[in-house]
Amino acid sequence: MDNRGKNKLVSGKIKYDIVPQGSSKGLLLKDKVLDSFNSSYLGLGSLDVDSRSIDAVAAVFDLAGFTSFCTQIEPHLYVPAFLSRFIDWMFASIKEEMIDRRDNDNIYLWCPLPFYTKFMGDGLMILWDVSSITPELRRNIIISCAVICNKYRDNFYSSIKKLIPNPPQGLRCGLARGTVFSVGNGKDYTGSCINMASRLQKLNGLSFAFNIKGFDMHHRKADNVLKEFIVIKEVDIRGIGNCELVGVIEQEFLRLSEEDKSLFNSF
């Protein structure tokens, strides 16, 4: 019988020797291997680099029901296939929603492309640099993100359920504007607007919500574009702030239970 590898354990990038240790067995490795376990595992680059601040819009997209989706029998047979198709679809949808029109080789954008995206396990965090664009372009990001949530339900879900068993039925999005700060060599970002966006995508029964701070919702152009489907409500955001003003899709709000509606104050 071939005994090669029986006294070895491979876990991730690390190889251990299995050795006797009293009445049981322990793990043995070299000093240099232990020393290699440090902050470089985070993949953030040099953490002592000065942080860079950016005026940004943060969107957190979350797949509703992803946890239960992953608990089906033999998840390794369908979760990777779903995520591959979902992520490809998300990037294609973002590009499609950012385009206003094409003119030969030129593409006119209705809002800027994101400068940062991060896979969160059950969705994506996306950041736009809005420091040098007009208020109208910032508001266009709101509309584009809401449209993407609708397209997931109306287009992507209807097609993917023919290939993947019981896929997540909805895509939620929370969105907020604020200052983000780079971590390491810009491999990650932190900021209160990211936390706000994450909380907003969890509002009961809603697929989309945004904090109105920094979006100049009183401008006449904002009224013309957004008033047809957005209503402003006051709500307490757990762990962040009380009486925050958020924009939600009116038809979704009207479909909420009376209990969920009671969490919001109307004007």
Side-chain angles (χ1 to χ4, degrees):
M1 181 179 293
D2 188 350
N3 291 318
R4 287 179 297 174
K6 284 203 168 185
N7 294 319
K8 299 281 187 182
L9 172 67
V10 179
S11 177
K13 301 176 181 179
I14 300 177
K15 295 180 181 179
Y16 304 89
D17 289 320
I18 300 176
V19 296
Q21 186 170 311
S23 60
S24 60
K25 292 184 178 180
L27 302 177
L28 176 72
L29 48 71
K30 300 293 185 181
D31 278 346
K32 64 180 181 180
V33 178
L34 183 61
D35 289 342
S36 70
F37 181 75
N38 53 47
S39 62
S40 66
Y41 267 59
L42 297 173
L44 298 175
S46 179
L47 293 173
D48 59 359
V49 173
D50 288 344
S51 181
R52 184 167 62 99
S53 63
I54 300 173
D55 180 8
V57 166
V60 174
F61 287 90
D62 179 83
L63 289 161
F66 186 74
T67 299
S68 59
F69 168 65
C70 293
T71 58
Q72 299 180 73
I73 298 172
E74 306 291 357
H76 65 285
L77 297 179
Y78 54 83
V79 172
F82 171 82
L83 287 176
S84 175
R85 288 173 170 81
F86 167 69
I87 292 174
D88 285 346
W89 175 85
M90 276 293 297
F91 276 85
S93 297
I94 291 168
K95 287 190 292 185
E96 180 181 352
E97 287 307 314
M98 303 300 109
I99 294 174
D100 183 19
R101 68 184 190 278
R102 296 176 184 269
D103 181 10
N104 296 322
D105 293 334
N106 298 316
I107 297 175
Y108 295 87
L109 298 180
W110 124 293
C111 57
L113 288 171
F115 74 88
Y116 180 81
T117 59
K118 179 181 180 181
F119 179 59
M120 305 287 283
D122 56 358
L124 294 172
M125 180 184 82
I126 303 177
L127 300 177
W128 286 263
D129 184 343
V130 297
S131 57
S132 301
I133 64 174
T134 66
E136 185 175 3
L137 292 176
R138 297 187 192 112
R139 291 190 296 269
N140 289 347
I141 296 173
I142 298 172
I143 298 171
S144 292
C145 289
V147 169
I148 288 171
C149 289
N150 285 335
K151 283 188 173 181
Y152 179 94
R153 181 190 63 241
D154 296 339
N155 299 332
F156 183 77
Y157 175 74
S158 62
S159 61
I160 198 67
K161 69 180 181 180
K162 300 174 184 177
L163 304 173
I164 305 291
N166 300 314
Q169 295 185 11
L171 180 66
R172 299 187 297 247
C173 177
L175 186 146
R177 181 184 174 190
T179 303
V180 298
F181 302 90
S182 62
V183 178
N185 299 102
K187 300 293 185 180
D188 204 350
Y189 287 84
T190 185
S192 61
C193 61
I194 297 173
N195 297 333
M196 175 66 77
S198 180
R199 293 286 195 276
L200 289 174
Q201 61 84 15
K202 296 177 182 178
L203 290 178
N204 288 352
L206 300 176
S207 70
F208 181 76
F210 68 97
N211 190 292
I212 72 167
K213 290 177 181 176
F215 286 109
D216 191 12
M217 299 301 295
H218 300 292
H219 193 280
R220 59 180 179 81
K221 289 186 178 180
D223 291 339
N224 291 337
V225 174
L226 295 174
K227 70 178 181 180
E228 294 181 2
F229 69 98
I230 293 292
V231 291
I232 307 300
K233 301 291 180 179
E234 186 180 72
V235 66
D236 295 340
I237 306 299
R238 180 175 58 85
I240 296 181
N242 297 329
C243 302
E244 293 288 340
L245 296 179
V246 300
V248 300
I249 297 173
E250 184 174 22
Q251 291 303 313
E252 285 191 340
F253 181 80
L254 293 175
R255 290 194 294 265
L256 291 179
S257 68
E258 292 304 316
E259 180 180 1
D260 285 339
K261 285 181 181 177
S262 69
L263 300 176
F264 299 84
N265 295 321
S266 300
F267 301 97

